[in-house]
């Protein structure tokens, strides 16, 4: 069974701090990894994707991938109250068309 | 930005009834998907569709489920005889290429089976 695991949270950080969200995956065949943001009652919205080991930065967001440890993380710098949402980690394996999602980590950024 | 459109936003039905959830993917997209999310649970893959046929489906997508692209713009999910456990938010998604990481999700249809 291919799984993506996340701590459900909530993760509470003060405004301006760095939020660190983590994810592990079980399928070594996973090739691409995604971070989605989901506000309550809304659809997932893609923030970042990563498929190479190392870091990938986009604005305030940095995704990190370590395939040897089967670990993906998302750092949000200068966290804002508007970043408060559930962050979903997802993995896609080679030669498949589906995303396997984790349960998501709820992030709360307080002023 | 282009959007995936889903209708209706809410659907209430009685157990055993058939429902059809509708989606209009982005116009130049070729790969279409249905996912669902039971309240408080993970987003789960149901089915992918390309070139007018199912390319992959999950264990959830049993004989009660079917998909269709009837007219080149709409993409529908039919549940033949709904069960209580089918109550969930159903998301349609599309992308232009299988290797394009950007998967566009629609706003979802909240299905409630009573």
């Amino acid at each position: 069974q291919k799984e993506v695991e996340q701590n459900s949270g909530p993760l509470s950080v003060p405004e301006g701090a760095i939020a660190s969200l983590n994810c592990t995956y079980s399928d070594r065949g996973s090739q691409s990894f995604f971070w989605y943001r989901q506000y309550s009652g809304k659809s997932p919205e893609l923030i970042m994707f990563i498929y190479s080991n190392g870091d990938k930065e986009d604005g305030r967001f940095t995704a990190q991938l370590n395939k040897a440890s089967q670990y993906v993380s998302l750092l949000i710098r200068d966290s804002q109250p508007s970043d408060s949402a559930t962050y979903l980690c997802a993995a896609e394996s080679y030669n498949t068309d589906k995303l396997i999602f984790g349960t998501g980590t709820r992030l709360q950024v307080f002023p | 930005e282009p959007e995936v459109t889903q209708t209706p936003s809410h659907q209430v039905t009685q157990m055993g009834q058939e429902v059809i959830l509708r989606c209009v993917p982005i116009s130049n997209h070729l790969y279409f998907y249905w996912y669902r999310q039971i309240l408080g649970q993970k987003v789960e893959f149901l089915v992918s569709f390309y070139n007018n046929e199912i390319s992959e489906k999950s264990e959830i997508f049993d004989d009660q489920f079917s998909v269709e692209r009837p007219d080149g713009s709409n993409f529908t999910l039919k549940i033949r005889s709904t069960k209580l456990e089918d109550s969930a938010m159903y998301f349609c998604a599309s992308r232009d290429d299988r290797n394009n990481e950007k998967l566009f999700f629609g706003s979802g249809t909240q299905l409630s089976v009573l």
Side-chain angles (χ1 to χ4, degrees):
Chain A
Q1 182 78 348
K2 299 173 184 176
E3 298 279 348
V4 173
E5 300 289 342
Q6 295 180 257
N7 187 320
S8 59
L11 172 66
S12 291
V13 300
E15 186 173 356
I18 295 175
S20 177
L21 303 157
N22 305 311
C23 166
T24 59
Y25 60 95
S26 64
D27 180 19
R28 285 203 173 270
S30 298
Q31 298 280 307
S32 303
F33 304 88
F34 304 82
W35 283 101
Y36 283 84
R37 178 173 61 200
Q38 187 177 33
Y39 293 110
S40 182
K42 304 294 186 184
S43 59
E45 173 194 3
L46 182 65
I47 298 173
M48 289 194 71
F49 62 88
I50 186 168
Y51 42 78
S52 299
N53 272 327
D55 294 2
K56 179 181 178 183
E57 189 173 315
D58 184 1
R60 295 187 296 114
F61 300 97
T62 298
Q64 299 174 315
L65 173 60
N66 183 326
K67 288 188 178 180
S69 302
Q70 295 177 242
Y71 178 87
V72 194
S73 65
L74 179 71
L75 300 178
I76 307 174
R77 286 180 298 282
D78 188 25
S79 296
Q80 301 297 309
S82 59
D83 294 325
S84 299
T86 297
Y87 289 79
L88 309 178
C89 175
E92 185 176 41
S93 298
Y94 175 73
N95 213 28
T96 184
D97 222 0
K98 65 184 179 188
L99 298 183
I100 306 293
F101 283 87
T103 51
T105 299
R106 190 156 63 93
L107 173 66
Q108 295 176 335
V109 181
F110 56 91
Chain B
E1 186 163 294
E3 284 186 347
V4 175
T5 306
Q6 288 187 246
T7 55
S9 55
H10 291 86
Q11 174 91 49
V12 180
T13 190
Q14 296 290 326
M15 191 170 57
Q17 295 296 302
E18 175 183 287
V19 293
I20 297 176
L21 309 183
R22 302 180 193 278
C23 169
V24 179
I26 294 170
S27 61
N28 64 334
H29 285 190
L30 301 175
Y31 294 82
F32 313 115
Y33 307 83
W34 285 100
Y35 284 82
R36 79 171 186 190
Q37 188 175 29
I38 295 170
L39 185 64
Q41 298 188 24
K42 298 181 183 186
V43 176
E44 300 174 290
F45 169 80
L46 293 178
V47 66
S48 58
F49 190 86
Y50 168 70
N51 201 24
N52 277 321
E53 60 183 29
I54 291 173
S55 44
E56 193 169 354
K57 61 183 180 178
S58 71
E59 291 173 355
I60 302 166
F61 195 89
D62 61 21
D63 292 345
Q64 293 302 308
F65 290 86
S66 62
V67 288
E68 196 177 33
R69 187 156 161 80
D71 57 12
S73 61
N74 290 285
F75 178 52
T76 62
L77 174 69
K78 183 194 289 187
I79 310 174
R80 259 180 276 283
S81 177
T82 49
K83 306 185 191 74
L84 296 175
E85 55 264 36
D86 293 328
S87 295
M89 179 75 93
Y90 287 80
F91 294 111
C92 175
S94 70
R95 54 183 166 184
D96 58 358
D97 184 275
R98 190 172 172 275
N99 295 315
N100 187 344
E101 294 82 4
K102 191 155 178 64
L103 182 66
F104 289 80
F105 279 86
S107 54
T109 293
Q110 180 64 57
L111 176 65
S112 298
V113 182
L114 305 179

